[in-house]
Amino acid sequence: MDGPIAIILAAGHGKRMKSEKAKVLHEVCGQPMIHYVVDAVRGAGAKTIVVVVGFAADQVRDALADEPDILFATQERQLGTGDAVKACKPVVKDYRGPALIVVGDEPLLRPQPLADLLHQQQAGRLACLMGTAELPDPTGFGRILRDSAGRFLRIVEQRDCNAKEAAIREVNPSCYVFQLPELWEALDRLKTENAQHEYYLTDAPTLLQEMGQRVEAVKVLDADDVLGINARGHLAEAHALMQSRIQNALMDAGVSIVDPRSTYIDARARVGQDTVIHPFTVVNGSVTIGRGCTVGPFAHLRDGTILEDDAEVGAFVQVSRSTLGSGSIARHLAYLGDAQLGPGVNVGAGAITANFDGVTKHPTRVGARASLGAGSVLIAPVVVGDGATVGAGAVVTKESTVAPGATVVGVPARPLRRKVTP
Ligand code: UD1
Ligand code: CA
């Protein structure tokens, strides 16, 4: 097994979410939160990732099925975080080396502090190195206790804190690097003498110290990184923080976002340089926007949308599973679903692709430089040839496929016959 390895704890129910769904599958900016954690440990250098599943295990496995570097360990009963790590033993077998251990409900973790932890644990030959954070409000987290010389003593869970301990603001965000196999022995010594009667991973560092091993705790994490999702309110907070990270990264890469607060951009979206996104734009799902595009105000781009360079999508236009070729324009009040538009197409106000017949979705193809008139309806499947014109209010059905260069008008649409004057 290639190291370093990472272990992500994701077997818990997350009762405070009040949900049928596994907590780690709740979405932040369009992605299940566990995806962010996987990206963070991968970015920190983990070569093999073990995800501990339990509650709704099949859902979590399915959500991560396409990731070749992920293995699963099953924790049959949720007896605590220490027990969850123990469930990995048969999966990691004889691996010797560092194991980065994190929890699946902290989607804002970034790779850099985790990479630092791995590095420092190896450099210091430590049996355990914990990353900690100092928070203005430590509520909900385990607290870090140190001696008068500042050396790590132990972690006390919020539920087990006395008043003095509860006032400590240095917390345990559950980002640890443990050396294997040393950790296994400490886990075998865990007891359940605590408020929840669970096997706490948080007791393992102190047990290692008692076994004569070296353990340290360093403050390498920011408040933003360690937001734990235990209830729906936290989910909304995480969403807001992640959204500003996504938008800041795009702005740093040369995208203009006129009003970040009224704009929503999915984590999976890609946006090219010199594109301008106007207020009240929503970008959902895997969407690719090229360079020099203009989007919004009030545009809704959904999963599978591709805007090629210099395309323009304006007010009250919804695009779904569709491509607008370069320089194509849908400036107002249009719906494009399952449509492939060539370059330079003009979509008039109120033009609609009727892609759904009540049972199946059908495709629409519109050739280069074609023009769709105001209020026209294309009842898919339908093809509009290059340079063709669909008149305002025309209804194009599959029987009336529009030839290249032709002009069609009326309901149902028919080729326009110009009056020939003798
Ligand atoms: C845990 C820590 C606490 C820390 C906090 C935030 C312990 C005992 N406490 O508390 O010190 O400040 O995280 O990082 O570790 N899980 C399992 N199996 C279980 C129990 C939990 O896989 O039997 C998983 C959960 O799915 C979750 C993670 O472990 O992803 C943390 O569990 P949670 O119940 O949220 O722990 P906290 O009470 O937040
Ligand atoms: Ca938690």
Side-chain angles (χ1 to χ4, degrees):
M1 175 174 282
D2 281 350
I5 67 165
I7 293 173
I8 302 176
L9 306 186
H13 180 173
K15 289 191 192 71
R16 288 165 281 176
M17 296 294 283
K18 308 223 167 65
S19 176
E20 304 271 293
K21 188 152 82 171
K23 174 162 75 171
V24 296
L25 296 184
H26 283 267
E27 291 181 2
V28 175
C29 295
Q31 285 198 120
M33 62 175 110
I34 192 153
H35 279 285
Y36 296 97
V37 182
V38 165
D39 286 346
V41 298
R42 217 180 253 153
K47 296 285 178 286
T48 308
I49 301 168
V50 184
V51 177
V52 186
V53 294
F55 178 81
D58 291 343
Q59 287 176 11
V60 181
R61 278 204 181 86
D62 286 353
L64 296 169
D66 299 334
E67 322 270 342
D69 52 349
I70 295 184
L71 304 172
F72 296 95
T74 307
Q75 185 194 23
E76 297 297 344
R77 289 192 301 145
Q78 281 66 67
L79 302 176
T81 48
D83 180 70
V85 175
K86 219 170 155 177
C88 298
K89 203 173 169 185
V91 179
V92 306
K93 297 195 187 82
D94 309 324
Y95 170 78
R96 303 175 75 87
L100 171 63
I101 301 183
V102 298
V103 288
D105 65 351
E106 290 176 5
L108 289 140
L109 281 176
R110 278 179 281 212
Q112 193 54 56
L114 302 180
D116 292 347
L117 280 179
L118 274 166
H119 176 77
Q120 289 182 39
Q121 180 265 348
Q122 286 297 289
R125 298 171 174 276
L126 303 169
C128 170
L129 179 64
M130 276 158 281
T132 71
E134 178 113 6
L135 303 183
D137 176 11
T139 308
F141 285 89
R143 311 294 205 276
I144 304 290
L145 267 59
R146 294 179 183 270
D147 67 13
S148 54
R151 281 180 300 244
F152 170 79
L153 284 177
R154 62 193 173 93
I155 302 169
V156 191
E157 286 306 288
Q158 159 115 4
R159 287 184 178 82
D160 302 298
C161 277
N162 61 35
K164 201 170 147 219
E165 291 160 347
I168 296 172
R169 293 193 296 119
E170 188 183 3
V171 302
N172 166 40
S174 303
C175 300
Y176 319 78
V177 180
F178 283 100
Q179 190 70 18
L180 298 183
E182 284 79 349
L183 173 63
W184 304 128
E185 198 184 329
L187 293 182
D188 285 336
R189 298 184 185 201
L190 290 178
K191 300 209 171 65
T192 57
E193 289 154 11
N194 52 57
Q196 298 195 94
H197 307 291
E198 288 185 353
Y199 296 98
Y200 283 175
L201 179 60
T202 46
D203 291 339
T206 306
L207 289 168
L208 282 165
Q209 277 184 327
E210 287 168 11
M211 288 156 55
Q213 302 280 358
R214 294 181 54 211
V215 172
E216 284 178 18
V218 284
K219 229 182 275 174
V220 291
L221 292 144
D222 281 349
D224 272 13
D225 287 284
V226 305
L227 176 70
I229 313 299
N230 295 314
R232 305 267 180 167
H234 303 137
L235 199 59
E237 274 177 59
H239 180 92
L241 286 165
M242 188 66 79
Q243 188 52 215
S244 57
R245 276 191 200 171
I246 291 167
Q247 294 195 20
N248 288 336
L250 289 173
M251 291 190 277
D252 287 347
V255 175
S256 282
I257 299 173
V258 176
D259 181 25
R261 284 170 311 166
S262 70
T263 303
Y264 169 75
I265 302 178
D266 193 289
R268 293 161 293 174
R270 299 285 165 268
V271 188
Q273 198 180 322
D274 284 325
T275 283
V276 180
I277 299 183
H278 290 280
F280 300 100
T281 290
V282 174
V283 177
N284 266 328
S286 294
V287 169
T288 304
I289 301 174
R291 297 163 80 99
C293 294
T294 303
V295 181
F298 298 99
H300 186 190
L301 304 183
R302 293 169 55 199
D303 201 37
T305 295
I306 299 172
L307 304 186
E308 292 178 354
D309 295 350
D310 304 311
E312 199 176 316
V313 171
F316 305 105
V317 174
Q318 184 177 129
V319 186
S320 181
R321 291 182 309 274
S322 294
T323 299
L324 272 75
S326 63
S328 283
I329 294 174
R331 209 166 265 152
H332 12 237
L333 300 157
Y335 171 65
L336 299 167
D338 300 294
Q340 302 296 313
L341 276 58
V345 171
N346 188 71
V347 179
I352 298 276
T353 56
N355 59 330
F356 186 50
D357 61 11
V359 182
T360 344
K361 303 226 165 102
H362 299 282
T364 296
R365 279 211 335 264
V366 180
R369 296 171 307 285
S371 175
L372 307 180
S376 58
V377 180
L378 308 182
I379 301 178
V382 79
V383 177
V384 175
D386 288 358
T389 300
V390 174
V395 175
V396 182
T397 60
K398 65 172 182 272
E399 289 76 30
S400 55
T401 284
V402 185
T407 296
V408 296
V409 294
V411 182
R414 295 217 162 73
L416 178 68
R417 288 188 218 299
R418 296 181 198 280
K419 278 190 196 136
V420 183
T421 33

